[in-house]
Amino acid sequence: MSKDTIYATAEDADKPFTFNQAVADVFPDMLQRSIPGYAASIEAIGSLAARYVTPGSTCYDLGCSLGAATLAMRFAIKMPGCRIIAVDNAPAMVRRCNEVLAAAENPGATVVEVCHADIRDIEIADASMVVMNYTLQFLGIAARDAIIAKIHAGMLPGGLFLLSEKVVDEDPHMEELLVDLHHEHKRRNDYSQLEISRKRAALENVLVPESVAAHRTRLAQAGFVHSGVWLRYFNFVSIVAIK
Ligand code: GEK
């Protein structure tokens, strides 16, 4: 696994963050060292797929990057006739995702289609499980109600939606503490203070976090009957919602 040193050098340090080839090349290392609880989210996606995916249904991995969530679902699904649609709008991610999927062990019969598309433009239908693992945060806030409503409309009754996000705390004191703990976590994972502050600046207005309450309200307004946080690690959460 190649080490993420993107913000260790001055090159590109002052440009907004994009999902380019350099990011795709170091992506597994970047996520493992940057997102507290990332490995737990992938593990749970497998467990939830085994429980919720129904025969002949479709699963979606929206903002699939290199396909970690797709792989977890593909490995766990035992039901016949299922397919997974993995979507990302970054060409470098889609290219690498196809390579990763082709190289991975595939004990089941679930078919995967990797689509190079904007998740705002795709159709969602017959879905028993939809995953948005740290992707909604990269869409403008104005686009978020519509995509969550589209996901809900394309899901089967009883289907499961997993939404993981970086969040902001309503209490500024708590927010400061959680951001500080996250940065300490990154320093423990061998990012320098300079890399941490450059990445923070590069993500400004690119990754726009909302509160847990805002996410749960949007899910309820879209029509999800149940929703709950199943994972929280500093300012990173994962929510499950059931139609
Ligand atoms: C994982 N889920 O490993 N349409 C399609 N893709 C998009 C869009 C969009 N509008 N906006 C952003 N993306 C993965 C990790 S990363 C999270 C997800 C992170 C894609 C973007 O290209 C990137 O690959 C992904 O969403 C977000 O479980 O880097 O923090």
Side-chain angles (χ1 to χ4, degrees):
M1 183 153 63
S2 305
K3 188 171 179 187
D4 169 22
T5 57
I6 289 177
Y7 291 98
T9 57
E11 208 185 323
D12 292 345
D14 54 353
K15 298 204 187 95
F17 181 81
T18 54
F19 291 99
N20 55 23
Q21 189 62 51
V23 169
D25 288 344
V26 298
F27 199 66
D29 177 71
M30 177 185 282
L31 289 204
Q32 271 181 35
R33 288 165 64 215
S34 309
I35 302 186
Y38 174 73
S41 71
I42 297 298
E43 189 186 302
I45 285 165
S47 305
L48 291 165
R51 284 169 190 248
Y52 281 89
V53 176
T54 53
S57 67
T58 305
C59 303
Y60 292 82
D61 180 4
L62 304 179
C64 61
S65 302
L66 305 192
T70 291
L71 277 175
M73 287 193 279
R74 187 175 76 171
F75 197 83
I77 294 170
K78 302 286 179 268
M79 294 299 172
C82 297
R83 68 182 180 140
I84 302 171
I85 301 186
V87 186
D88 206 289
N89 67 349
M93 290 295 183
V94 170
R95 254 191 321 271
R96 186 83 192 98
C97 184
N98 275 308
E99 290 167 10
V100 169
L101 289 172
E105 193 187 342
N106 183 11
T110 303
V111 175
V112 177
E113 291 167 32
V114 184
C115 300
H116 177 216
D118 192 304
I119 55 175
R120 287 167 290 196
D121 301 333
I122 63 155
E123 193 201 338
I124 296 193
D126 298 323
S128 59
M129 180 160 177
V130 178
V131 171
M132 261 187 136
N133 210 31
Y134 308 102
T135 301
L136 187 67
Q137 59 196 15
F138 292 106
L139 264 58
I141 289 190
R144 296 183 187 179
D145 287 358
I147 187 131
I148 299 299
K150 176 171 83 171
I151 290 168
H152 179 268
M155 289 184 67
L156 299 165
L160 180 124
F161 176 43
L162 182 137
L163 174 68
S164 307
E165 288 278 289
K166 185 174 191 182
V167 294
V168 63
D169 209 283
E170 285 112 336
D171 177 342
H173 189 85
M174 284 306 298
E175 174 62 10
E176 198 182 323
L177 171 64
L178 294 169
V179 167
D180 203 45
L181 285 169
H182 177 224
H183 290 174
E184 185 184 322
H185 178 87
K186 288 184 80 168
R187 284 196 297 276
R188 261 198 311 275
N189 285 343
D190 204 26
Y191 283 113
S192 70
Q193 192 52 50
L194 184 61
E195 286 175 284
I196 293 168
S197 20
R198 281 174 171 164
K199 178 79 176 274
R200 191 179 194 188
L203 283 172
E204 187 84 32
N205 301 321
V206 173
L207 189 169
V208 182
E210 293 178 282
S211 66
V212 171
H215 286 298
R216 293 196 61 204
T217 300
R218 182 179 291 115
L219 291 166
Q221 279 168 354
F224 285 99
V225 182
H226 307 281
S227 83
V229 173
W230 70 271
L231 171 76
R232 174 158 195 153
Y233 195 154
F234 304 144
N235 40 1
F236 292 81
V237 304
S238 189
I239 298 170
V240 286
I242 295 165
K243 177 162 175 175

PDB file of all heavy atoms in Angstrom, residues 2 106 144 237:
ATOM      1  N   SER A   2       0.727   2.135  -1.000  1.00  0.00           N
ATOM      2  CA  SER A   2       1.567   3.334  -1.086  1.00  0.00           C
ATOM      3  C   SER A   2       1.163   4.342  -0.016  1.00  0.00           C
ATOM      4  O   SER A   2      -0.020   4.531   0.254  1.00  0.00           O
ATOM      5  CB  SER A   2       1.410   3.999  -2.442  1.00  0.00           C
ATOM      6  OG  SER A   2       1.675   3.069  -3.446  1.00  0.00           O
ATOM      7  N   ASN A 106     -13.602 -13.643  -5.212  1.00  0.00           N
ATOM      8  CA  ASN A 106     -15.040 -13.457  -5.423  1.00  0.00           C
ATOM      9  C   ASN A 106     -15.760 -14.791  -5.285  1.00  0.00           C
ATOM     10  O   ASN A 106     -16.003 -15.484  -6.259  1.00  0.00           O
ATOM     11  CB  ASN A 106     -15.270 -12.850  -6.824  1.00  0.00           C
ATOM     12  CG  ASN A 106     -16.732 -12.566  -7.066  1.00  0.00           C
ATOM     13  OD1 ASN A 106     -17.546 -12.622  -6.142  1.00  0.00           O
ATOM     14  ND2 ASN A 106     -17.083 -12.269  -8.305  1.00  0.00           N
ATOM     15  N   ARG A 144     -28.369  17.900  -1.508  1.00  0.00           N
ATOM     16  CA  ARG A 144     -28.450  16.716  -0.643  1.00  0.00           C
ATOM     17  C   ARG A 144     -29.867  16.180  -0.436  1.00  0.00           C
ATOM     18  O   ARG A 144     -30.073  14.966  -0.431  1.00  0.00           O
ATOM     19  CB  ARG A 144     -27.749  17.004   0.703  1.00  0.00           C
ATOM     20  CG  ARG A 144     -26.261  17.241   0.488  1.00  0.00           C
ATOM     21  CD  ARG A 144     -25.494  17.456   1.780  1.00  0.00           C
ATOM     22  NE  ARG A 144     -24.105  17.853   1.471  1.00  0.00           N
ATOM     23  CZ  ARG A 144     -23.182  18.138   2.367  1.00  0.00           C
ATOM     24  NH1 ARG A 144     -23.479  18.071   3.660  1.00  0.00           N
ATOM     25  NH2 ARG A 144     -21.961  18.484   2.007  1.00  0.00           N
ATOM     26  N   VAL A 237     -19.178   9.817  11.751  1.00  0.00           N
ATOM     27  CA  VAL A 237     -20.281   8.957  12.165  1.00  0.00           C
ATOM     28  C   VAL A 237     -20.737   8.077  11.012  1.00  0.00           C
ATOM     29  O   VAL A 237     -20.521   8.398   9.839  1.00  0.00           O
ATOM     30  CB  VAL A 237     -21.524   9.758  12.656  1.00  0.00           C
ATOM     31  CG1 VAL A 237     -21.196  10.699  13.780  1.00  0.00           C
ATOM     32  CG2 VAL A 237     -22.214  10.472  11.524  1.00  0.00           C
TER      33      VAL A 237
END
